[in-house]
């Protein structure tokens, strides 16, 4: 089996791609999947017919969607086409309406037979199935598969439609093939064959809570009574009573059936009735649930392990609930990232067909991934994604805000039985949401809640900033022993003084107090005493230098901003104890708006592939020609406006994963452009964060090992960044040289540790910072620094080449030539452009 995915751009481009693929139904059946967020019904059918004309005999199945899945990303306003050429397996397709000629719905079993009787038998391994919205018997339909085709795995789901075309459609979604479309039907494709195998897994991240309830009366999709009590009365007595006033928050608290406790379903309230998105059957037991980040992470790890260990991984199908992006947007993006280098392809749905306990069933908020193939094959998975989960806890904010506001209300209604019932529910939620997994103490979310509800406004942040470097010098056993001692002392000290302690992340802890209970001077004295205890040297443990930042007047909004500002200031002043007013130096409203505008620009660029490499030529001063190019990142927003790094880099870095995404995209694009070019070199900027990103560095090393001319790739390390661990840096540099690549230090002269960089790191190039070069004709010290570097290179015998950037006029160039500077870069020779000079 061979699978190729492509984003639809035009029919001509599609025809070119199909010709290059050499598709031939004589070699085996071909399945074409079309997931479109941009086509209307007739346009989609026309596209399917065009594909059929290119390769007669292909089997086509298509559906509308809100977003497509491609290369590990969820993309809006796109159409993705996936082509799978079989080696020996058989593909069959079918499409039918779910109503008979009298306008009555088929039962679940009737519809299943009508759809599958001609395309599936006892040996069919996999069915890809898409249903349009409105059919009331999804559960019975999918349950029929377990009865009639127990060995057939079903994946897919209920289709939806993008905002871009929603107003132009007759209904809320459609399925299609080359023969037509329907908005009241279902489409399917089956795959079977002697060597065909598949494995389907899913995650929801749902956590059950509370007791079982029994549905005692139901009508179609309406739950009329529970435990023989009217449903609205039961609903109003618990947390549901609070949700009645905030119906939009119902999505945070789905229900689950007790026999499938990890598969959620949602209800809505309409005209005093509780309505589900499927037909309800009396007698089934169910209970309340909620979804949160750590459960999503844990579930994804287990799913990844199952997928990674499957042997015949030639193709990956993926379908994710649209509601996941609405309520857990960071998680929804992150959970696809382990598959970004695979041929994963799929779309968003409004209900998913999943395999649970070896039975097909229907879910309302799942990510389902199916891996399939005919022969052994290993995809290029990215397990390092599991190391970058910092931002996922933000997805809990809406849930926590609801818990905060509800708990505040409970404080005012302390004696009512309803309040006691709801309080028990909230405490159960908080137990998981507000407690650190391993240390069993409150976490950062708990600190936020205590600042909102319990008067905590004075916080001391305690950290060991260079804890990562401990791994290079000490055995794991000693590090773990030291951490337990460090953590134990902090907790014991806090408890003795009736202070609250919180686990923020890794070695970062917080101690909180209320200003109404503790004077600032008293709190500072206590923290200094704790710091002295942690400073105590004992040969059993590693000697630590923890940094203490006391922040006064904290709010949930100002805490982390104040902490990071304090860390920068204390580092610059070489202080281990720092006190700051948390309210000082905060961004004003205009700056906050601009910051989040840039966040939107970055997200748009990632989702719409508008991270654009520009290239600036670097002039060889000996040969008077362009020697190589520096790649420079640009972002383009939805209006075509171009953004330069100065506008977005700091914001991207502050959000971590955003920076990782745009940096990874940039590097891959530059590699792709230059991998087959033999007579030109290119330099690529890397930050220290990039070097610590194991997934990225592994990709770089693998790329260098695979290209013909690795020496054409130069990696520019930003000199202005603080380098926490020189062992990591030197290991990276040595690896690059081992694979044949080259190293440069960028912006030399802008930081604080220049000599350390050029003495300790084996460099091929050294680039002088533009601020020095621009002033060299007017500022004697700048000129002297350039002369000093040129002289040091000559005296030291180092083989590195020196580059001067920001060379804007002939006067600067003449001075550089006098100093025998090897290369010049600037507008005098070349302006940054999206193409190379010989392409312009």
């Amino acid at each position: 089996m061979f699978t190729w995915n492509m984003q639809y751009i035009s029919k001509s481009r599609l025809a070119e791609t199909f010709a290059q693929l050499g598709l031939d139904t004589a070699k085996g059946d071909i399945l074409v999947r079309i997931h479109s967020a941009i086509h209307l019904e007739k346009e989609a059918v026309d596209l399917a017919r065009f594909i059929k004309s290119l390769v007669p005999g292909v089997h086509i199945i298509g559906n509308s969607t809100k977003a497509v899945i491609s290369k590990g990303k969820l993309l809006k306003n796109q159409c993705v086409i996936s082509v799978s050429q079989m080696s020996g397996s058989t593909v069959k397709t079918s499409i039918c309406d779910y109503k008979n000629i009298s306008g009555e719905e088929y039962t679940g079993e009737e519809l299943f037979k009508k759809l599958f009787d001609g395309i599936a038998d006892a040996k069919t391994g996999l069915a890809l199935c898409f249903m349009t919205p409105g059919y009331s018997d999804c559960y019975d339909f999918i349950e029929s598969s377990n009865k009639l085709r127990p060995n057939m795995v079903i994946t897919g789901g209920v289709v939806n439609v993008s905002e871009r075309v929603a107003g132009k459609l007759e209904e809320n979604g459609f399925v299609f093939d080359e023969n037509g479309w329907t908005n009241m039907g279902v489409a399917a494709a089956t795959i079977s064959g002697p060597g065909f195998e598949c494995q389907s897994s899913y995650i929801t991240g749902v956590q059950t809570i509370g007791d079982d309830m029994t549905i005692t009366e139901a009508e179609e999709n309406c739950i009329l009574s529970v435990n023989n009590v009217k449903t609205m009365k039961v609903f109003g007595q618990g947390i549901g009573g609070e949700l009645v006033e905030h119906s939009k928050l119902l999505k945070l608290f789905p229900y689950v059936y007790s026999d499938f406790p990890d598969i959620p379903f949602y209800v809505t309230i309409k005209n005093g009735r509780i309505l589900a998105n499927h037909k309800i059957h009396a007698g089934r037991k169910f209970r309340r649930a909620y979804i949160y980040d750590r459960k999503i992470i844990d579930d994804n790890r287990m799913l990844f392990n199952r997928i990674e260990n499957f042997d015949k991984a030639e193709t990956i199908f993926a379908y994710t609930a649209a509601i996941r992006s609405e309520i857990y947007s960071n998680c929804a993006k992150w959970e696809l990232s382990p598959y970004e280098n695979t041929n994963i392809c799929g779309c968003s749905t409004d209900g998913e067909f999943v395999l649970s306990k070896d039975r097909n069933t229907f879910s309302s908020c799942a990510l389902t991934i199916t891996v399939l193939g005919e022969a052994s094959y290993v995809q290029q998975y990215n397990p390092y994604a599991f190391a970058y989960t910092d931002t996922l806890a933000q997805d809990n904010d809406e849930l926590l805000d609801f818990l905060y506001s509800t708990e505040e209300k409970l404080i005012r209604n302390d004696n009512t039985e309803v309040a006691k019932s709801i309080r028990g529910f909230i405490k159960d939620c908080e137990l998981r949401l507000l407690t650190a997994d391993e240390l069993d103490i409150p976490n950062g979310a708990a600190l936020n809640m205590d600042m909102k509800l319990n008067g905590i406004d004075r916080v001391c942040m305690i950290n060991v900033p260079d804890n990562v470097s401990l791994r290079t010098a000490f055995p794991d056993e000693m590090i773990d022993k030291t951490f337990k001692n460090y953590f134990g002392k902090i907790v014991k000290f806090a408890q003795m003084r009736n202070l609250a302690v919180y686990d923020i992340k890794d070695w970062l802890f917080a101690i909180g107090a209320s200003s109404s209970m503790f004077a600032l001077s008293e709190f500072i004295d206590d923290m200094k005493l704790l710091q002295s205890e942690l400073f105590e040297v004992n040969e059993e443990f590693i000697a630590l230098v923890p940094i203490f930042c006391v922040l006064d007047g904290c709010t949930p909004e100002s805490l982390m901003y104040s902490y990071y500002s304090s860390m920068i200031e204390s580092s610059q002043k070489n202080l281990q104890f720092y006190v700051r007013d948390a309210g000082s130096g905060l961004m004003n409203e205009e700056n906050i708006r601009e910051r989040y505008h840039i966040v939107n620009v970055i997200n748009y660029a990632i989702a719409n592939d508008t991270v654009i490499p520009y290239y600036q030529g670097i002039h060889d001063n000996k040969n008077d020609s362009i020697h190589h190019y520096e790649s420079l990142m640009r972002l383009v927003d939805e209006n075509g406006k171009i953004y330069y790094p100065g506008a977005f880099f700091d914001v991207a870095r502050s959000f971590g994963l955003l920076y990782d995404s745009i940096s990874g995209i940039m590097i891959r694009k530059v590699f792709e452009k230059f991998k087959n070019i033999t007579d030109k070199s290119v330099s690529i900027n890397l930050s220290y964060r990039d070097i610590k990103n194991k997934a990225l560095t592994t990709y770089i090393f693998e790329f260098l090992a695979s290209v013909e001319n690795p020496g054409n790739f130069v990696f520019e390390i930003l000199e202005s960044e603080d380098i926490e661990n020189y062992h990591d840096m030197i290991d990276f540099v040595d690896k690059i040289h081992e694979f044949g690549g080259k190293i440069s230090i960028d912006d030399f002269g802008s930081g604080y540790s220049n000599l350390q960089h050029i003495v300790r790191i084996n460099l091929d190039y050294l680039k002088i910072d533009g601020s020095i070069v621009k002033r060299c004709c007017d500022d004697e010290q700048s000129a002297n620094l350039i002369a000093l570097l040129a002289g040091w290179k000559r005296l030291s015998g180092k083989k590195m080449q020196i580059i001067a950037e920001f060379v804007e006029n002939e006067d600067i160039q003449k001075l550089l030539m006098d100093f025998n500077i090897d290369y010049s870069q600037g507008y005098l020779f070349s302006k940054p452009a999206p193409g190379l000079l010989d392409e312009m």
Side-chain angles (χ1 to χ4, degrees), residues 597 601 635-643:
H597 165 68
V601 169
L635 303 184
V636 181
D637 68 11
E638 63 270 29
N639 300 314
K641 180 179 177 180
I642 297 172
Y643 290 78

Side-chain angles (χ1 to χ4, degrees), residues 3 101 251 464 634:
T3 294
I101 56 175
K251 61 190 177 184
V464 179
R634 304 289 187 262

Side-chain angles (χ1 to χ4, degrees), residues 190-262:
T190 59
I191 306 175
S192 59
F196 176 79
E197 294 180 22
C198 68
Q199 177 173 288
S200 189
S201 301
Y202 71 95
I203 71 102
T204 60
V206 72
Q207 177 67 53
T208 60
I209 196 166
D211 300 323
D212 278 348
M213 299 174 285
T214 301
I215 300 171
T216 47
E217 188 180 0
E219 180 182 275
E220 294 297 328
N221 67 331
C222 180
I223 306 173
L224 297 175
S225 67
V226 174
N227 297 339
N228 293 311
V229 179
K230 293 295 183 183
T231 305
M232 279 304 296
K233 183 175 182 181
V234 175
F235 190 84
Q237 287 176 345
I239 196 70
E242 297 296 318
L243 293 172
V244 169
E245 301 176 17
H246 308 279
S247 58
K248 290 183 179 180
L249 297 179
L250 281 169
K251 61 190 177 184
L252 299 177
F253 296 96
Y255 287 104
V256 298
Y257 287 116
S258 300
D259 51 343
F260 287 101
D262 60 346

Side-chain angles (χ1 to χ4, degrees), residues 269-481:
I269 305 170
K270 188 173 182 180
N271 299 325
R273 291 157 63 90
I274 305 295
L275 305 176
N277 61 349
H278 60 279
K279 191 172 184 179
I280 299 295
H281 296 281
R284 294 200 73 173
K285 294 182 182 296
F286 71 111
R287 60 168 60 184
R288 181 73 77 174
Y290 64 98
I291 299 171
Y292 70 111
D293 67 311
R294 294 206 302 274
K295 189 68 164 59
I296 292 174
I297 294 168
D298 290 344
D299 286 358
N300 266 289
R301 283 197 178 100
M302 290 188 287
L303 179 144
F304 179 81
N305 289 336
R306 291 192 292 269
I307 298 299
E308 186 184 32
N309 291 323
F310 185 74
D311 182 49
K312 296 183 177 181
E314 292 181 298
T315 299
I316 303 178
F317 295 169
Y319 300 97
T320 184
I323 199 169
R324 295 184 76 79
S325 297
E326 295 173 15
I327 58 177
Y328 293 97
S329 58
N330 290 309
C331 290
K333 293 174 185 176
W334 166 82
E335 62 193 3
L336 290 171
S337 61
Y339 312 98
E340 63 185 1
N341 299 322
T342 71
N343 64 10
I344 193 170
C345 182
C347 65
S348 78
T349 51
D350 278 350
E352 299 70 54
F353 301 134
V354 303
L355 186 69
S356 177
K357 303 175 184 177
D358 294 323
R359 295 177 65 84
N360 295 310
T361 191
F362 180 73
S363 176
S364 295
C365 189
L367 163 65
T368 179
I369 296 180
T370 304
V371 59
L372 54 142
E374 299 170 295
S376 294
Y377 185 81
V378 178
Q379 297 266 0
Q380 297 299 310
Y381 300 109
N382 175 24
Y384 301 107
F386 292 99
Y388 297 97
T389 59
D390 297 0
T391 62
L392 304 189
Q394 296 172 9
D395 283 348
N396 293 332
D397 287 351
E398 192 173 13
L399 175 58
L400 287 169
D401 284 344
F402 173 71
L403 296 177
Y404 297 155
S405 61
T406 304
E407 190 161 2
E408 281 185 306
K409 189 181 293 185
L410 294 179
I411 293 172
R412 299 192 296 270
N413 299 282
D414 191 50
N415 296 321
T416 67
E417 286 300 316
V418 172
K420 291 178 182 178
S421 170
I422 299 174
R423 182 176 288 108
F425 179 91
I426 288 176
K427 290 304 179 187
D428 284 345
C429 290
E430 291 175 356
L431 184 64
R432 292 183 175 89
L433 288 167
L434 306 181
T435 304
D437 280 334
E438 297 180 1
L439 301 181
D440 198 29
I441 63 172
N443 59 17
L447 174 56
N448 281 340
M449 177 173 271
D450 284 344
M451 283 192 286
K452 286 186 175 183
L453 298 180
N454 299 321
I456 297 292
D457 58 356
R458 191 160 282 158
V459 177
C460 179
M461 306 290 276
I462 306 167
N463 196 14
V464 179
D466 59 346
N467 63 80
V468 176
S469 64
L470 297 178
R471 300 285 173 190
T472 63
F474 300 99
D476 289 347
E477 183 180 352
M478 192 171 187
I479 295 171
D480 293 341
K481 190 176 180 180

Side-chain angles (χ1 to χ4, degrees), residues 131 237 257 522 609 650 716 730 781:
M131 181 177 288
Q237 287 176 345
Y257 287 116
E522 178 186 0
D609 195 29
D650 287 343
E716 292 193 16
I730 293 170
Q781 289 186 353

Side-chain angles (χ1 to χ4, degrees), residues 67-80:
V68 302
I69 295 173
S70 179
K71 297 180 181 178
K73 293 181 175 62
L74 195 61
L75 306 174
K76 295 181 178 180
N77 300 323
Q78 302 281 345
C79 171
V80 67

Side-chain angles (χ1 to χ4, degrees), residues 39 55 122 157-158 361-362 558 579 610 651 705:
H39 290 99
V55 189
V158 176
T361 191
F362 180 73
S558 67
V579 181
T610 58
V651 174

